[in-house]
Amino acid sequence: PPPPPPPPPSRRILLVADSMLRPLERLAWPSPFDVRVHCFFGASFASVAKRCVAFSPIYDAVVVHAGVNDASGGASLEDAFRSSGSAACAALRARFPGARLALSLACLSASQALNPAIAVVNRVLRDLSLACDFTVISNDNVRFTDLTDVHLNAAGTARVHGNILNFLRVDVA
């Protein structure tokens, strides 16, 4: 009989996020995905994107998750976030020209007062994704019961992990 086919090549994935996704550092990712997770406490979207640019451009896909820490920008939040976000997306596109790029939207907060600002951040992230040809990873399925204060509990982590896996399976595999 002929030898079995070789396994599919590994797909190198860079996931850079704020502290919300810290639990993903401990989760397993299925083959063929070789996922490197890097989380930064208190990081804004622009600072997370800036940290991405420091990584080697060897990745097949780059996922950026941030935004909750941007949600305290007050009345000028939308314009300021749109400006810094646009520059960040351009830097990501330049650094990873052959990679599939995705923005993972911010999850709601257990602090109800933050959620209108998070909605603004997510609207801008959707707009930036469209303008920059990034894929949007929605986290609308994360519920208030999936949060401990501003971070994900085990159920929330599983939901976001599943959302990112859906992107990888559809857009990267």
Side-chain angles (χ1 to χ4, degrees), residues 4-137:
S10 180
R11 306 297 286 170
R12 295 167 300 192
I13 313 300
L14 175 63
L15 171 56
V16 182
D18 57 20
S19 61
M20 175 74 77
L21 299 192
R22 184 74 179 219
L24 292 181
E25 291 178 330
R26 297 183 305 273
L27 293 182
W29 297 84
S31 178
F33 305 115
D34 176 15
V35 180
R36 304 286 183 224
V37 181
H38 300 275
C39 295
F40 304 98
F41 287 94
S44 67
F45 173 75
S47 67
V48 167
K50 188 180 225 179
R51 289 179 188 252
C52 280
V53 175
F55 289 96
S56 170
I58 62 166
Y59 294 94
D60 299 302
V62 177
V63 177
V64 178
H65 177 96
V68 168
N69 296 314
D70 294 286
S72 59
S76 63
L77 168 68
E78 185 165 358
D79 291 337
F81 185 65
R82 189 173 301 279
S83 175
S84 66
S86 181
C89 287
L92 287 167
R93 176 63 62 206
R95 180 64 173 160
F96 303 99
R100 191 72 188 119
L101 302 172
L103 299 181
S104 173
L105 299 183
C107 301
L108 291 178
S109 171
S111 168
Q112 297 290 323
L114 271 180
N115 289 331
I118 290 172
V120 170
V121 165
N122 282 342
R123 184 176 65 244
V124 173
L125 287 173
R126 286 181 191 279
D127 292 349
L128 291 171
S129 292
L130 182 63
C132 299
D133 191 31
F134 286 28
T135 298
V136 172
I137 300 173

